[in-house]
Amino acid sequence: MRGLDIQYMFECFPEIIRGVPNAIIIAVVALLAGGIIGLLCALVRFFKVPVLRQIVGVYIAIIRGTPLMVQILVTYYGIPRILEYLNYRWGTNMNVNSIPAIYFMFFCFSLYYGSYMTEMFRSCIEAVDPGQLEACYTVGMTTRQGMIRVVLPQAFSTALPNIGNNFIGAIKDASLAFAVAIPEILGRARIVAGRSSKFLEAYIVAAIVYFIICTICQFAVELMEKHSRKYSTR
Amino acid sequence: MSEIIVKCSEIHKSFGDLEVLKGVNLTVNKGEVVSILGPSGSGKTTFLRCINFLERADHGSIAVNGYEVPCRTAGKRQILELRRKTAMVFQNYNLFKNKTVLENVMEGLTVVQKVGKREARERSEEMLRRVGLGDRLNYYPVQMSGGQQQRAGIARALVLQPDVILFDEPTSALDPELVGEVLETMKEIAETGITMIVVTHEIGFAHDVASKVVFMDGGVVVEEGTPAEVIDHPQNERTRQFLNKIKE
């Protein structure tokens, strides 16, 4: 039985850790863009806006009904086709092949996390006592003013720990980006291992890197949980 | 002689098959304190919520200070306009939980009435001192007792200088020992001449403070008049039964 090549693990650590920024960028974009999509869709659902509500329903059903991996591959191969078609149709000259692969990941992750954050935001908005919005009305506020000034801040405060958990999920899910050759943490580990054939060592290092990042984030989430209890007790 | 400030005509409201209000009429003069009494399920709270369109009545019209709105067809702007002539104090206070007491009171002034920050702050602090919360300005609602929260709720309504303040069972959620301080505050503001419509179970308050008492049962006004007429010498059998039960 061969032992682990510990020294090799230390050697490849710096190279694998260089994938961290990519993973974090993907997670941050997923959270910001997905958060905006999620909030808007949650409002559509909360106020039962006709037509838009059905569209949101279909969007969520599609995203939830398919694996993220499949969505990444379909996006990666599908979007260039669509652009090609648009070029052909409108006579434009978009360079289809020069789009960095990471943009497809941004697109895909935003939609994916948007769908999950829709339900999360909706339940947080619904958890705010309806009396709060009524109180806004009685001092003469419009629905928009009441939502922005009173209801959403309370909903957001409940949502914070959840948003943090989504961020941790997104960092781990970003590992799927290796499928479209983006050098994030797992992707780099694969490249490094491909050169030396020491796969186990490289993947263990990747696991350690993920573990460190996620533990730090988990700590931040726990702080948020404490903060979010500020108004919740009666 | 006296000026009519609130006029509700033929208010009907159903929830599904259940007809809660069957044509309620109410006229309130400026400066009057009207107490609405009645057994639970009589529709008194629903009626109060129809006045500021927290519930939209199916028929009838509401007029506040000459601004008349048809209930069934009223648009957003009309409802907003009407609401800005009224204010409300809730049974469970409904202070904005994400804001301090001072911010709660300032909110309507700065956001709705566009009063400058400094003036809004001065008026709000003054109002909070009047209800005895001058030392609680920067507390969050969760940090205060029910009685304190309700007095802050009263300050939030009062600072807007509305034509009428609607009170929805303001003492029903309070611990018994806290009821007194809220009733005392309400009594004080009643003496300043502000128009109040108060749904309440506090017969004592209705008797001593109200200028008019309305008894509701089964979705209609059964009897109305001065406290001496309705509470001391009720003419209607249902009023008598209700009062007897409460006095027991």
Side-chain angles (χ1 to χ4, degrees), chain B residues 44-100:
Chain B
K44 51 195 192 309
T45 288
T46 305
F47 173 62
L48 196 73
R49 290 165 58 86
C50 281
I51 297 177
N52 62 0
F53 280 78
L54 288 185
E55 304 285 354
R56 184 193 282 264
D58 304 325
H59 294 286
S61 68
I62 310 277
V64 177
N65 201 3
Y67 186 80
E68 186 171 355
V69 176
C71 294
R72 200 172 55 83
T73 55
K76 267 189 193 167
R77 298 243 45 111
Q78 285 173 295
I79 293 175
L80 196 63
E81 185 75 15
L82 188 89
R83 280 181 182 151
R84 287 179 178 176
K85 296 177 185 301
T86 68
M88 191 177 224
V89 174
F90 293 86
Q91 183 176 350
N92 54 358
Y93 337 124
N94 283 343
L95 293 179
F96 306 132
K97 289 183 189 167
N98 58 329
K99 296 185 183 295
T100 64

Side-chain angles (χ1 to χ4, degrees), chain B residues 105-214:
Chain B
V105 181
M106 286 173 65
E107 198 70 4
L109 289 177
T110 53
V111 177
V112 178
Q113 299 186 358
K114 311 290 181 205
V115 175
K117 263 253 161 68
R118 175 177 294 198
E119 192 197 329
R121 173 182 287 268
E122 279 169 12
R123 281 168 58 185
S124 301
E125 285 179 359
E126 158 74 29
M127 195 57 73
L128 283 164
R129 272 196 292 275
R130 251 176 74 185
V131 299
L133 292 175
D135 56 344
R136 293 285 186 276
L137 300 180
N138 296 315
Y139 281 51
Y140 280 92
V142 289
Q143 299 168 310
M144 302 200 305
S145 74
Q148 291 171 333
Q149 289 190 54
Q150 193 58 298
R151 282 185 281 143
I154 292 171
R156 179 175 69 180
L158 207 53
V159 81
L160 299 171
Q161 302 180 325
D163 292 317
V164 57
I165 302 184
L166 312 172
F167 291 80
D168 180 13
E169 304 194 21
T171 57
S172 299
L174 292 173
D175 293 337
E177 75 270 24
L178 301 177
V179 170
E181 62 183 76
V182 171
L183 289 181
E184 195 52 42
T185 306
M186 288 171 63
K187 196 171 164 184
E188 278 166 27
I189 64 171
E191 282 159 6
T192 65
I194 187 146
T195 315
M196 297 161 61
I197 302 178
V198 188
V199 168
T200 185
H201 291 297
E202 297 290 334
I203 301 288
F205 175 83
H207 189 273
D208 299 342
V209 181
S211 47
K212 177 158 138 185
V213 174
V214 174

